[in-house]
Structure formats: structure tokens, C-alpha cells
Amino acid sequence: MATQLMKGNDAIIIGALAAGCRAYFGYPITPASEIAHAAAIHFPALGGTFIQAESEVSAVNMLYGTAGMGIRSMTATASPGFSLKQEGLSYCAGAEVPAVVVDVQRGGPGLGNIAPEQSDYFQATKGGGHGNYRLIVLAPNSAQEMCDLTGLAFELAEKYRNPACILTDGFVGQMMESVDIPEPKALTTDHRSWAVDGTPATRGNLINSIYLDPYELEAHNLKLQAKYERCEVEDVRFEESDIEDADLIVVAYGIVSRVALSTIALARAKGQKVGIFRPITLYPFPTKRLAQLAEKTKKFLVSELSTGQMVEDVKLAVGHTAQVRFFGRCGGVVPTGNELLDQYDAILGEEG
Amino acid sequence: MKVYEKPNALYGTFERKTGPALESTHYCQGCSHGNVHKMIAEALVDFGVQDRTVFVSPVGCAVFGFYYFDTGHIQAAHGRAPAVATGIKRANPNSIVLSYQGDGDLAAIGTAETIHAANRGENITVIFINNAIYGMTGGQMAPTTLIEQHTTTTPGGRVEGIHGNPIRMCEMISTLTAPTYVERVAIGNSKHIMKARKAIRKALQIQIEGRGYSFIEILSTCPSGWKMTPPDARDWMLEHMTKVFPLGVFKDESKAREPGSWDRVIKPFEPEAVGAYLKDFVGATVADPSQSKPQEMHCKFAGFGGQGILTMGLFWAQLAMRAGSKVSWIPSYGPEMRGGTANCQVNIADERIGTPLVEEPTMLAVMNQPSLEKFEAEVVPGGVLLVDTSMVKTAPTRTDIKTVLIPASEMANQMGTSKVANVILLGALTAATDAFPFEYVIKTLPELIKKKSLVEMNIEAFTRGYQYVREQQNG
Ligand SMILES: Cc1ncc(C[n+]2csc(CCOP(=O)(O)OP(=O)(O)O)c2C)c(N)n1
């Protein structure tokens, strides 16, 4: 297997190409533009297509078109562009089109800045656009995962015929690490049962999200809901370290989980039993596992590059049995290891 | 409205429709949509392309195109049909793609998508139903509504200075270079209808032959929205709308366009070809089993942008990666970016690396004054501080760290280019830390430098930096 040092943003394109992605639709925005730059080189070179669309709105609708034709396709953007894509993603979910979207989160609200944040968590995990739907949301924390989870995003998007999202941040995108380049494998899926690909075999198919009749639309919603329930059973992913004996569990994803990882040995050297729980799927959220952990561990600290978003899901999971604290930085400021260590001191020093 | 003598590209009964009356369409009496549907369906059958047609229906009265057309069908969000059609056509250039849109859809909310699909010259057919009103939502003003026309949102009539003017899409589209064929027709008397039929057929023919983008605007009636009887609506349309929207061909380059020249094919996925390409393009870092891993290091390289500081850090990381270490490299980002300095942070470890950010460097290399001032205090006691003294005028103040001073930029200038100052520092760093043997770097450096013509000079630069520090250490 070939290994190379590469940026997380580049690794996304490598992962996508290896997964059989054939079409990329983008619109420039920092800090996601590098993904488009890499796509502009590689997609045409490999007989795929790259289009710089007139807006994020157009890009996601082009994606809806190619993905509706049964072709693995993607778009990538950063926060303001992710807002513009919500309409298209709602249509993808409603019409059951398996699209992949990357959001390299930057500072907000409004124009914010180009520094990293994790403040699109609500938008990504709770639906974002209108209607009853979810994105399948994957949160890489290394260049390798930028590559691998992009491949997984295509698989899950097709498995559930639902849009999937790589929710990352400017740090993971800019960071270079060694990446094992995956061996591309032939696709085993056949889109002809549902897609409209301009051939006789799919002439009778329909990609559509309008159901005028209230009972029909309710039935359609229940069908979507059943998929999400299945996804919550079959495709929850997370990573744990040092949680067996933990008095305090830090819950973090993306870059913050990496900062937390650096603190564990230091905390343990001081005799503090601290562990880390890292959700890899932000939707479906590892609610059950967290609830299980809360049977033993009574203190949780959620740290995010936001003013408190994922913390709500952690509270829903463990809030009735354990204490949940929050430590966030935003605007592009990342919690330092020392700041986290101070939090551990404070929380573990408390009575009870 | 009943559709008699349905062409085969329309369903016999409309099973996808909900409710009663599966034989008739949902369109109102005197609405032009049904006529246009029929003309399109006839053409699809006559040209033998029904099987490979994908109909993109808009948001508007034609949203239910899939009730009627026995073709593939992808329904689009309001105004986005041309973008969706772009995706479809790119996915399968052999498909016949119709972007069928009303005036609100095409000329208001979807103006950007409309103009840009036309400007790219997508090989698609756009059918634009201009009925001067929003039909589906209850007769509101459209961008094409005439001056003085009464709608539910211009109850006193459209006023130029308040509501703007009717927008002429054919005229706009025909200013673009890429479109092949742009015509405006009307569903008026039988002569008009013949012309409309001809225009639709021509547009489809152009697409089938791969001659590019066509835009057919069809002046249409909306008796319900206009609150008129169907005959009155037709008369009003012919009398008033054709004055603002003159009929005719606005652009026709169908003869000049090469057939097939507008195809953009997406080829099928070939795993082996992709695998081979990625290996070739991305390359691979080959570990050097003869070299043992360096000690754990957390490094910061700082200076001005353009001094090669990011490359220096990258070389350092690559040297360690080839020696079997886990590495991370990250450029300055976030608040770090302020103040005109650039830096990168490199971690080298045996095990998985936690944060890629270096808060407490064990090694700091600085190539300008601000970087020394900003980062000197961060270095851990016992750490290494490397300073390019050509660029930094004040001496470091810390006494609890190992300081290495070298006039790297002046040494580089002596070699004829300031560009190798970073590699001179790399040599100095190697000697100061003993992280890697001299021979290992000399052997590996050529693999890290993309431009082969620069290898020799970089080896020389590295050697000079290395020897400078060794001489200091020995003397
Ligand atoms: C984003 C969005 N905004 C508004 C609407 C409501 N809407 C439905 S149809 C329509 C206008 C349709 O008018 P037109 O495009 O002229 O087509 P017609 O109905 O006259 O054929 C509007 C505004 C919508 N569905 N989506």
C-alpha cells in the first residue's frame, strides 16, 4: 500500500476518487478551496467531471442531478456555502438521492472569518434545511480519516439513499499527515432500481420529493424515518480511549479530540483518571454508548470550537445520570492542552 | 383539461396523479402547458428518444410533469432546473434533457442558474413558459408581468418605478456566446402553434445532434391567473404580450456548430485505472529501514512568508516519516496568522500524535525578528532555539535553552540565492539536534526536492549549515 504525507483537504479527494466518485461541483471558499483545486486536477484527468458552479446553490443542484443519475458525486464548501446548500440537501433527502457534501467549518455567524470552528454542528446534524430529515454526518480527526471517511460517506449515502456529510474544520483540512492510499475496488451497487440515468432500463423511475396528498407525504416521511432508525442501530461509530476506569470522560470530535488526546497522559500522570470519547458519526449520534458509560462515569466534559452545540446531544444522552460540563472556544481559537487540564482539575476537584 | 390523441411519450392514464379523473391533466381550462406538453411528447416519439429522455420539471404549475411524460424524470427545486439538468447531461451526454420552467422559476429565483447553464452552453433544451404571472401560487407578479398588469401582488397594476420592468429573457440569453438557438414563440392561433411546434422540434434536434444549448420561450396563457376566459386570454396575450416580447428567432448558430462538440462525458469508474493514477500522481513515501527513528520532537518554524519556512518544516517532517516516525505538519492558522509572520508546526513521535498544534516547542527555528519575540518564551526548558542572525538583530534572552545562531540568509546570499537559507538552517538543525545522521539527509534530500535541477545547490546549502554548527561545537 502506498503511503504519502498529505493535507486533509487533499486526502478527501483521494478518498473520493478511490471510492468511485466521478463528479465534483464546487464554488471557491476558504478554507475549503483546496479541495476544489485538487478536484480540478484529478477528476478530469480520470475521465470524471469538475464544474465550478455559479454558486453553492447551483453546485448542490448539479450534484442532485448527477447523483440522481446514479453516479457517485460530491461537493465541498465551508460554512457560508454550507448554508446555501441546505435547500439542495433537503431535496436530496426528500427524493432519496445519495449525495456527499463536505463542510470545512469556519468561523461564523455571517461572514465570520476563515479560521476553524465547529459551529455548523446543529445545521449538519439536525437537518439544516426544511423538513423531517437528517444528514449522515461523519467527523474525521486525521488526514487518514479525511480519506477513509469520505469513502465511507459514499457507502452510507448509497446504503440509505440519503445525503452524507463530512463535517470537518480548517485545522484537520490544513494538517498534513501520512495517509495510506486506499486500493480502489469495483462498486457492487446497482443504481438502476431507483436512479434515472437516461436509459430505457430506468425510464419508469422518478426522482421526486413532492407528495401532495397528506397521507402519502406522511407515509413517505415514515419511510425516511425508518431508514434513520435503522442507521441509528447499524451505523453508529465512535472511538474511546482510557474510559474503562475513567472518573471524567472528555467528549470531543475533530481537532479538539486531538488536543484532548495529548492531555490524557499528563492528567493520568497526576493521578486523574480521564478518558476520551470521540463520536465519529455525529449523526447517528452515539447516544446509547454514552448512556452506558454514564452508568459508571459520573462526570463528562464536552469541548468544542463553538459556544455549545454537541453538548446538547451529550446532555440528552447522559444528563439525567451524570454531570455534563462544557468548555468551548470559538472564532478560530482552539482550546489548549493546558486549558483542558485546568478544566479537569476544576471538575475533579469538586465535591461529589 | 382533456388531452386527446395522446402521443406515446405521454402516459395513457395518469396513474401518478392523486385523486379522481386520471384521464385529464391538472391544468386549468385554456392553460398553455397542456399544448406544450403534447408538442414535446410528439417530438420525443418522432425522434425516437423517449427512452433516453430525462424531463426536469420545475416548481410551478408544471411540477407534475411526471404525471404525464412517460420518460425518466427528475423533479428540481424552485429555479434550479438548469443546474440539475447540467448534472444530468454531464452524467450521461447521451440522455436528452429538458429543463421545463415557468417565468417565476426561470427568470426570478433561478436567473443565475438560467444564465450560467446558457453561458456554459450545456447541450440541453430549455422550454420557458412565459405566462406573465405566477400561476401555481395564486397569480402573483412575475418578472415578466406587463406594466399596468393586475396581479395579486400588484393589485393596482405593475408600476415601472416600483416593480421594475418585464424582463426579456430571449434578448438576454442571445447576448451570450455559447447558446446555439434562441427563439420566442406563442401559443396563439394555429399559425403560432405551428411555429412553436417547429421551434421545439428544432431545439430537440439540436440537442440530439450534440449542437448545444437551445432556449425556447413560449408566450402562454393563464386564464385563471389573469382572471379571463380562455378566448380573452389568448387575445390579450397576442395583443399585449407580443408587443413587449416580440416573437422571432434571436439567435441561430445551429448550422455553424459541430455536432458532438458540446459533449462532456463522465466515463465509468475503473478501479485499476484510478488506483494506478493515484499511485503515480500522489507518489509514495518509502520508509528507509536502515534509518532509526529520531527522538520525539515538537517543532515550530517561523518567519516571513516567502522565506521557505513551511518547506523547511515539511522537509523535517518528511525526513522523520521516512525514518519510521509518526509525523504531523500544520501551517499557521487562526489567530496565529496575524502580524505578517508565517509558521508551521511539526510533531514527530513514535506513537500516534495527539494535537498537531505545538504549544510548547522542544525546537524553535526563527527567520525574523517578530517570530523570535513572539515564540521564544514558549520553548520548553532544555529545548533548542535556532536563529537566522542575518534576519534577527536582537539576541535571544533565554539561558535555560540551547541557542544556535547562524547567519543563514547571508550564507545563502554568498551562494547566489537567498532561497536556500531555509535548507542551510535545516543543516544547522540537523547538527544541533543530531536527529538524523548527515549521510541520511544527503541521501534523502534529493527525493524531497521536486525540481531536480535544484538538488545540487540544496545539498551544498545543507552541508554548509551542518558544517557551520559542527565547527562551532568543536571550536
Ligand atoms: C424556494 C421556494 N419559494 C417559493 C415557492 C413557492 N412557489 C411555488 S410555484 C411558484 C411560482 C411559479 O410560477 P412560475 O414559475 O411562473 O410557473 P407557473 O406556475 O406560472 O407555471 C412559487 C413562488 C417554492 N416552492 N419554493
Side-chain angles (χ1 to χ4, degrees):
Chain A
M1 186 187 289
T3 301
Q4 186 57 289
L5 193 63
M6 66 171 82
K7 277 197 179 181
N9 279 344
D10 289 329
I12 283 179
I13 288 302
I14 301 301
L17 288 168
C21 180
R22 308 299 295 147
Y24 182 101
F25 306 102
Y27 188 84
I29 184 165
T30 309
S33 293
E34 281 153 350
I35 306 177
H37 301 169
I41 296 170
H42 300 310
F43 277 75
L46 280 163
T49 203
F50 168 87
I51 300 182
Q52 179 172 327
E54 57 271 25
S55 68
E56 286 86 353
V57 175
S58 276
V60 72
N61 279 285
M62 290 173 185
L63 169 61
Y64 174 80
T66 47
M69 297 283 275
I71 289 184
R72 287 191 172 186
S73 320
M74 70 180 293
T75 183
T77 188
S79 307
F82 192 55
S83 290
L84 285 186
K85 290 192 196 287
Q86 298 306 322
E87 175 198 55
L89 293 171
S90 167
Y91 275 73
C92 285
E96 300 188 84
V97 169
V100 171
V101 56
V102 178
D103 178 13
V104 186
Q105 298 169 89
R106 61 182 241 183
L111 204 46
N113 64 17
I114 60 169
E117 265 192 3
Q118 295 178 325
S119 48
D120 300 349
Y121 179 93
F122 285 154
Q123 200 179 20
T125 61
K126 307 293 178 189
H130 59 285
N132 295 300
Y133 79 96
R134 300 296 189 116
L135 299 181
I136 296 162
V137 184
L138 305 170
N141 82 343
S142 65
Q144 183 70 56
E145 279 195 351
M146 291 286 252
C147 176
D148 296 347
L149 293 185
T150 300
L152 179 65
F154 282 99
E155 277 170 36
L156 294 179
E158 268 172 20
K159 177 175 175 185
Y160 296 103
R161 273 180 50 209
N162 192 77
C165 170
I166 300 290
L167 189 70
T168 182
D169 58 71
F171 270 121
V172 180
Q174 292 297 319
M175 173 168 73
M176 280 182 115
E177 289 184 313
S178 84
V179 174
D180 292 339
I181 296 159
E183 224 32 90
K185 285 190 210 73
L187 305 184
T188 52
T189 44
D190 187 350
H191 64 264
R192 279 171 301 186
S193 63
W194 60 269
V196 172
D197 69 3
T199 64
T202 66
R203 183 175 118 194
N205 291 349
L206 171 64
I207 302 286
N208 172 51
S209 60
I210 183 168
Y211 296 87
L212 266 201
D213 181 89
Y215 294 103
E216 267 188 48
L217 183 56
E218 185 180 51
H220 177 62
N221 264 288
L222 293 177
K223 178 183 161 202
L224 299 184
Q225 223 44 48
K227 292 197 300 188
Y228 299 134
E229 276 160 26
R230 193 176 138 218
C231 188
E232 284 170 19
V233 173
E234 293 178 16
D235 282 293
V236 175
R237 286 170 171 77
F238 52 83
E239 188 191 32
E240 302 172 339
S241 17
D242 301 273
I243 46 106
E244 293 76 20
D245 62 342
D247 294 324
L248 170 66
I249 292 180
V250 186
V251 187
Y253 70 98
I255 187 68
V256 187
S257 68
R258 296 284 298 264
V259 178
L261 193 64
S262 302
T263 63
I264 295 304
L266 296 168
R268 292 217 163 230
K270 290 198 284 184
Q272 295 175 335
K273 292 180 185 154
V274 180
I276 301 182
F277 184 85
R278 172 171 78 98
I280 295 173
T281 50
L282 298 179
Y283 181 82
F285 195 71
T287 307
K288 275 211 185 101
R289 179 59 185 158
L290 276 169
Q292 232 172 33
L293 294 176
E295 285 167 16
K296 259 174 62 189
T297 304
K298 296 297 169 198
K299 292 181 177 187
F300 288 78
L301 170 67
V302 180
S303 185
E304 301 172 59
L305 304 186
S306 81
T307 51
Q309 300 199 11
M310 180 175 71
V311 64
E312 293 192 1
D313 285 330
V314 177
K315 278 185 181 158
L316 279 174
V318 308
H320 51 294
T321 45
Q323 187 191 87
V324 179
R325 291 300 173 90
F326 175 72
F327 181 70
R329 299 296 307 260
C330 56
V333 185
V334 181
T336 63
N338 284 332
E339 281 174 332
L340 288 183
L341 287 164
D342 288 347
Q343 293 290 318
Y344 308 161
D345 288 346
I347 295 169
L348 292 170
E350 286 166 9
E351 288 296 309
Chain B
M1 191 197 111
K2 287 225 189 276
V3 179
Y4 299 101
E5 299 165 62
K6 284 173 201 150
N8 281 337
L10 295 180
Y11 289 114
T13 50
F14 307 131
E15 305 289 338
R16 282 174 172 163
K17 224 178 135 203
T18 45
L22 297 186
E23 247 101 83
S24 53
T25 71
H26 73 288
Y27 295 116
C28 309
Q29 278 283 323
C31 164
S32 307
H33 276 301
N35 300 49
V36 178
H37 281 18
K38 221 173 121 182
M39 290 176 196
I40 293 171
E42 273 169 9
L44 295 178
V45 174
D46 291 351
F47 295 145
V49 296
Q50 178 185 1
D51 259 349
R52 54 188 172 106
T53 295
V54 181
F55 190 93
V56 185
S57 69
V59 169
C61 285
V63 65
F64 299 116
F66 61 89
Y67 287 175
Y68 312 120
F69 284 94
D70 182 3
T71 62
H73 199 108
I74 299 189
Q75 203 288 313
H78 198 16
R80 319 299 175 216
V84 176
T86 297
I88 295 168
K89 192 69 183 187
R90 299 284 180 122
N92 178 3
N94 196 41
S95 60
I96 300 303
V97 185
L98 282 147
S99 184
Y100 185 107
Q101 305 175 256
D103 40 30
D105 195 81
L106 181 141
I109 194 168
T111 317
E113 286 78 1
T114 296
I115 298 285
H116 287 277
N119 194 45
R120 286 188 301 268
E122 298 295 337
N123 186 28
I124 60 173
T125 305
V126 176
I127 304 289
F128 172 32
I129 304 296
N130 177 354
N131 59 9
I133 205 153
Y134 282 27
M136 185 172 230
T137 37
Q140 295 88 355
M141 182 187 74
T144 46
T145 292
L146 303 190
I147 298 297
E148 293 181 7
Q149 188 183 336
H150 291 252
T151 71
T152 49
T153 50
T154 54
R158 184 173 190 173
V159 177
E160 180 183 358
I162 301 174
H163 310 112
N165 290 290
I167 197 165
R168 297 188 181 91
M169 292 308 293
C170 278
E171 285 81 344
M172 278 170 69
I173 301 276
S174 59
T175 65
L176 302 173
T177 308
T180 302
Y181 173 47
V182 181
E183 180 167 358
R184 183 182 288 127
V185 295
I187 302 296
N189 59 39
S190 54
K191 243 190 182 158
H192 293 120
I193 292 180
M194 287 239 303
K195 270 201 170 158
R197 192 167 165 269
K198 236 179 100 194
I200 289 171
R201 294 172 81 85
K202 178 165 174 168
L204 277 168
Q205 193 72 45
I206 287 170
Q207 182 181 170
I208 291 165
E209 289 168 8
R211 289 178 198 269
Y213 176 93
S214 300
F215 184 89
I216 308 298
E217 176 170 344
I218 304 175
L219 301 187
S220 303
T221 50
C222 180
S224 305
W226 298 350
K227 302 192 171 50
M228 292 180 198
T229 64
D232 286 352
R234 199 189 61 178
D235 292 346
W236 186 85
M237 184 264 284
L238 288 176
E239 191 184 334
H240 297 282
M241 284 182 72
T242 52
K243 287 207 184 92
V244 181
F245 303 112
L247 304 180
V249 176
F250 289 82
K251 191 175 186 201
D252 184 0
E253 293 186 0
S254 54
K255 296 227 166 60
R257 294 291 162 89
E258 288 296 315
S261 60
W262 299 85
D263 280 4
R264 290 97 160 173
V265 187
I266 297 182
K267 299 212 182 74
F269 175 47
E270 287 168 7
E272 283 99 52
V274 173
Y277 171 91
L278 291 181
K279 272 198 195 108
D280 188 48
F281 186 90
V282 180
T285 297
V286 183
D288 184 343
S290 66
Q291 177 55 40
S292 56
K293 292 179 205 165
Q295 73 268 29
E296 187 167 320
M297 281 181 275
H298 307 283
C299 319
K300 211 171 217 177
F301 302 83
F304 291 122
Q307 284 181 312
I309 206 82
L310 300 187
T311 309
M312 182 183 175
L314 192 57
F315 282 170
W316 196 243
Q318 284 169 315
L319 286 168
M321 183 174 162
R322 277 162 205 259
S325 299
K326 298 262 187 281
V327 303
S328 72
W329 174 97
I330 193 166
S332 50
Y333 197 48
E336 293 272 298
M337 285 187 310
R338 287 178 303 184
T341 63
N343 77 65
C344 70
Q345 302 166 35
V346 172
N347 286 288
I348 295 170
D350 288 353
E351 296 300 323
R352 187 176 167 188
I353 290 166
T355 178
L357 305 169
V358 176
E359 292 169 30
E360 295 172 345
T362 58
M363 196 291 296
L364 170 67
V366 295
M367 288 187 80
N368 69 4
Q369 187 75 36
S371 296
L372 179 70
E373 289 164 12
K374 198 163 159 192
F375 298 127
E376 185 183 0
E378 289 181 0
V379 181
V380 297
V384 175
L385 168 63
L386 178 66
V387 182
D388 178 355
T389 51
S390 325
M391 305 301 294
V392 178
K393 289 306 158 209
T394 61
T397 53
R398 295 272 298 269
T399 51
D400 58 340
I401 57 177
K402 183 170 157 189
T403 303
V404 182
L405 306 175
I406 174 169
S409 294
E410 277 158 39
M411 289 168 70
N413 287 336
Q414 279 160 20
M415 285 181 63
T417 168
S418 61
K419 287 214 157 35
V420 293
N422 60 345
V423 178
I424 292 175
L425 282 173
L426 199 72
L429 187 59
T430 305
T433 58
D434 284 319
F436 310 102
F438 177 79
E439 296 72 24
Y440 168 70
V441 182
I442 294 296
K443 182 174 72 172
T444 310
L445 212 46
E447 293 172 39
L448 307 183
I449 294 164
K450 285 207 186 91
K451 260 205 192 140
K452 292 304 152 207
S453 59
L454 299 179
V455 167
E456 208 174 311
M457 186 190 292
N458 278 283
I459 296 276
E460 174 65 19
F462 177 83
T463 308
R464 288 191 188 194
Y466 185 87
Q467 280 168 353
Y468 184 93
V469 172
R470 278 282 179 264
E471 277 160 25
Q472 277 189 331
Q473 285 166 338
N474 298 336

